[in-house]
Amino acid sequence: MAKPELFELTNGRITVRLTNVGAAITSLLVPDSEGNVADVVLGFDSLDAYVTDNAPYFGCIVGRVANRIKDGKFTLNGVDYSLPINNGPNSLHGGNKGFNKVFWEVIDHTDGEIPAITFKYHSKDGEEGYPGDVTVTATYSLPSSNTLKLDMEATPSGKATPINLAQHTYWNLAGHNSGDILDHSIQIFSHHITPVDHNTIPTGDIAPVKNTPYDFTQENKIGSMIDQVPGGYDHNYVLDYSEEKSGLKHVAKVKDSSSSRVLNLWTDAPGVQFYTANYVNGVSGKEGSIYQKHAGLCLETQGFPNAINQPKFPNIVIQAGEKYKHTMLFDFSAE
């Protein structure tokens, strides 16, 4: 019987701890400009909590389809599919037992020049209502002294299926237990969002962020306009402009002025969900801390929400035998 286990990658500067539950990041230690180390991700002390109590999706990989699917329904190749409804009228993050709640197998773990660990999961045809078997891998590595890399791959067999994996870590660059992130500054390399209806489902439009509280084309404090956004940020940004690095687009730059820690995120995905922990409310976290609203921020690179029902959005259907790939690069520095 699988049980929750903890694994570590370290290169002397960054130390990341991960669990086989949801292939989740449970802690990530990085230094500030003075060399002081802090754990900059929200999470739990107990690994069992990642199985039983992880309603906020701390640290984990979500799937088979991240984000919301309208009414939990879609049609593919003439077949209607119904998914578990677990978020208002929608299906969120793969259903009642998505990839975040399952035990992944560790198939590789190396401490060499580039420390790395690979988790693998086999999702069966019909699991949480989705068609086709899918084999998924997630490889976390530390390719340089300041960088964490995540490579996600998924290959369906038997049937085509929608696939949209996301990494749901909550970041607080001042330290996981340091209060809210409203004083963090962020720059998001995007000119457009996919606006949503009252159930947080995209309308299908692509809307410019200019002259709206969603505009982070220039670095700005997260709290500067958040009171104009009902509930807080929980929006998909279209990654439509930025420099590239090794085939990856610059997603965002996040900075905490109190510690001078900086996170730069890069990806090859078409969008990123910017989420400010609006529904975190009195969650018991690590080291006796209680996480409240806006205690962290998520930058979930992804296909667009409800893309399976929006023909104008980038396609998320992967054919049997084809391969889904999604890379994220987290660059840490201090300014």
Side-chain angles (χ1 to χ4, degrees), residues 200-253:
T200 328
I201 291 290
T203 60
D205 297 329
I206 306 284
V209 296
K210 192 171 183 178
N211 301 322
T212 76
Y214 304 99
D215 188 350
F216 290 100
T217 51
Q218 304 295 316
E219 194 174 306
N220 202 347
K221 281 199 172 169
I222 290 172
S224 62
M225 298 178 287
I226 199 167
D227 57 349
Q228 300 172 47
V229 181
Y233 294 99
D234 191 6
H235 294 77
N236 175 62
Y237 282 73
V238 180
L239 297 174
D240 49 9
Y241 86 97
S242 83
E243 55 182 319
E244 286 206 358
K245 180 163 93 170
S246 315
L248 303 179
K249 293 173 285 197
H250 203 171
V251 176
K253 175 187 177 182

Side-chain angles (χ1 to χ4, degrees), residues 4 19 21 43-58 100-101 283-285:
T19 176
V21 183
F44 303 109
D45 284 327
S46 157
L47 293 183
D48 288 333
Y50 287 90
V51 184
T52 57
D53 295 325
N54 197 3
Y57 301 91
F58 287 155
N100 60 297
K101 283 188 184 169
V283 177
S284 298

Side-chain angles (χ1 to χ4, degrees), residues 170-171 180-182 186 216 222-223 226 229-235 273-280 292-300:
Y170 288 71
W171 303 96
D180 68 51
I181 45 75
L182 299 179
I186 191 168
F216 290 100
I222 290 172
I226 199 167
V229 181
Y233 294 99
D234 191 6
H235 294 77
Q273 190 83 3
F274 174 45
Y275 172 55
T276 48
N278 312 324
Y279 305 111
V280 172
Q292 301 293 1
K293 187 175 183 179
H294 308 318
L297 68 99
C298 300
L299 290 164
E300 307 156 56

